[in-house]
Amino acid sequence: MVKIAEITAQGMDTKKFIDEKTKEIATTVGSGLAINALSGGVDSSAVTMLGHKALGKRLKTYFINNGIMREGEPERVVALFKGFGVTVELLDAQAEFFKALKGITDPEQKREAITQTFYKNVFGRIVKESGAKYLLQGTILTDVDETIAGIKRQHNVFEQLGIDPQAAFGYKIIEPLVQLRKDGVRKVAEALGLPKVVYDRMPFPGPALSARVIGEATPERIKTARRATAIVEEEFSAVNAFQYMAILHEDRVTGIRAGKREFGQQIEIRCWDSIDARVASPTRLPFEMLEKVSKRMIAEVPGVVSVTYNITTKPPSTIEAV
Ligand code: XMP
């Protein structure tokens, strides 16, 4: 296995990094075409800008609407990048992803179902239709570390696991950010001219809201997690934390609403302080803030009767629940 040489945020010459990676992408792709999927997160946004710098119109950028993204995200990302002169094609793959997730409750099997749907079905199809030979993607070093350590199979790691994307999916993968961690990617994104709402954006996992639904990720349960996520993001927007989220639990608990028993759902809130996601600790939020978010969950998310706040550190917890 090839050891990846880490470039730390502190030790990086950002301009040099961008110049080198732009040249590398241009040389590797040659006169052909490449594709990439933009999710709106800092990693894929940085890769999109690097790729366009290197390839111009020979990079085709897609937003895959997999049905498990946050509220309003597909339209928001397409509109944002239009403003940077980057055309993003919106591709509706919701039915395909929900079909793949149907009946699966095991966390790693869920991750695998998403990986296969993205890489084999959706990208495989786009590559064939467009004639591209390369997929550009924003894998970072933390994704590789956690996958190799067997903690979580990150949806975007292949070669480091001995999987050859060319043989498995029919195209090659270019990973310009693989030597960096999140803090390094933020520096690169800023230097590429992306606005603070992008380079400072909190991380969001590749398996999206399915990483925040314990048990089966049905359209209905994703809808619940999506609404709960929107509330947490609104209420915590002024909190200077690494990442915050809402998780829908599988177990139900007995609650009481309007004087009647309700065997309802549970939402767990997490809010993390961290530099690079390797270790993290719960943010010491004011209790009033937690109370407000809890009240909104109960009132605005149908069927929720319990709201908890995770006070565990990573490790042994991880940032996402699945
Ligand atoms: P965990 O939950 O492993 O997360 O402590 C560490 C960081 O990685 C994000 N995360 C992912 N990012 N693909 C990604 O691109 C994934 O499969 C994935 N799983 C977790 C998570 O949000 C956190 O910032």
Side-chain angles (χ1 to χ4, degrees):
M1 197 176 300
V2 186
K3 175 121 178 58
I4 301 168
E6 177 169 358
I7 302 175
T8 62
Q10 298 75 24
M12 175 172 57
D13 177 341
T14 313
K15 190 180 169 308
K16 190 166 154 242
F17 178 88
I18 291 172
D19 285 348
E20 278 176 13
K21 292 298 163 189
T22 309
K23 278 196 197 108
E24 259 175 54
I25 296 168
T27 309
T28 309
V29 177
S31 59
L33 289 178
I35 62 159
N36 83 308
L38 170 67
S39 68
V42 59
D43 307 340
S44 70
S45 296
V47 164
T48 300
M49 296 313 276
L50 266 182
H52 277 271
K53 219 170 137 64
L55 305 171
K57 294 239 174 293
R58 286 186 296 114
L59 176 68
K60 303 276 172 230
T61 299
Y62 297 84
F63 183 101
I64 314 294
N65 185 3
N66 51 18
I68 50 181
M69 302 303 271
R70 285 171 287 185
E71 262 177 29
E73 199 71 354
E75 300 73 21
R76 199 192 61 79
V77 174
V78 172
L80 185 73
F81 275 78
K82 197 169 174 202
F84 310 144
V86 174
T87 305
V88 181
E89 196 168 319
L90 188 56
L91 208 146
D92 186 351
Q94 298 182 69
E96 220 164 333
F97 277 88
F98 281 122
K99 189 169 166 230
L101 286 165
K102 199 170 166 44
I104 302 178
T105 54
D106 176 78
E108 291 300 294
Q109 281 180 16
K110 261 159 82 176
R111 285 173 168 267
E112 185 58 20
I114 288 169
T115 299
Q116 291 300 328
T117 310
F118 262 127
Y119 290 87
K120 202 168 188 155
N121 304 6
V122 178
F123 296 154
R125 202 164 54 234
I126 306 175
V127 159
K128 241 191 218 139
E129 284 167 11
S130 67
K133 291 197 170 55
Y134 292 92
L135 168 77
L136 236 70
Q137 70 169 11
T139 321
I140 65 170
L141 195 49
T142 318
D143 300 340
V144 177
D145 282 350
E146 297 215 340
T147 299
I148 291 173
I151 297 165
K152 279 179 197 183
R153 163 75 163 90
Q154 307 273 323
H155 75 294
N156 50 1
V157 176
F158 302 102
E159 265 154 300
Q160 295 82 6
L161 289 177
I163 301 168
D164 173 10
Q166 179 70 58
F169 313 123
Y171 50 86
K172 293 193 173 74
I173 295 183
I174 304 174
E175 298 172 317
L177 309 178
V178 78
Q179 291 165 280
L180 308 182
R181 301 206 184 260
K182 208 59 158 195
D183 44 350
V185 182
R186 290 194 201 287
K187 276 181 80 171
V188 170
E190 184 178 6
L192 283 164
L194 287 163
K196 192 167 160 55
V197 286
V198 176
Y199 73 73
D200 216 18
R201 199 169 192 208
M202 116 179 123
F204 188 69
L209 294 173
S210 80
R212 298 181 179 174
V213 165
I214 302 174
E216 190 178 351
T218 62
E220 194 58 35
R221 303 191 73 222
I222 288 288
K223 198 171 154 198
T224 302
R226 180 178 291 127
R227 191 79 274 280
T229 300
I231 294 172
V232 171
E233 291 193 0
E234 276 165 35
E235 291 301 325
F236 292 179
S237 64
V239 176
N240 189 21
F242 179 79
Q243 208 169 348
Y244 35 82
M245 64 199 66
I247 289 153
L248 174 64
H249 277 234
E250 194 169 20
D251 288 351
R252 287 178 178 256
V253 288
T254 300
I256 174 168
R257 203 192 302 264
K260 281 213 179 91
R261 177 183 193 275
E262 184 174 322
F263 198 47
Q265 310 207 74
Q266 307 190 70
I267 294 285
E268 175 191 332
I269 294 165
R270 296 181 174 198
C271 182
W272 298 105
D273 291 334
S274 179
I275 303 286
D276 57 15
R278 279 188 287 184
V279 295
S281 54
T283 308
R284 292 185 170 229
L285 294 169
F287 204 83
E288 294 70 28
M289 198 174 246
L290 291 168
E291 275 178 332
K292 177 147 184 249
V293 90
S294 160
K295 277 202 184 102
R296 283 195 62 188
M297 288 292 170
I298 303 293
E300 296 174 35
V301 190
V304 174
V305 297
S306 166
V307 180
T308 56
Y309 184 55
N310 184 351
I311 52 167
T312 323
T313 54
K314 171 184 178 175
S317 193
T318 57
I319 288 178
E320 306 289 346
V322 166

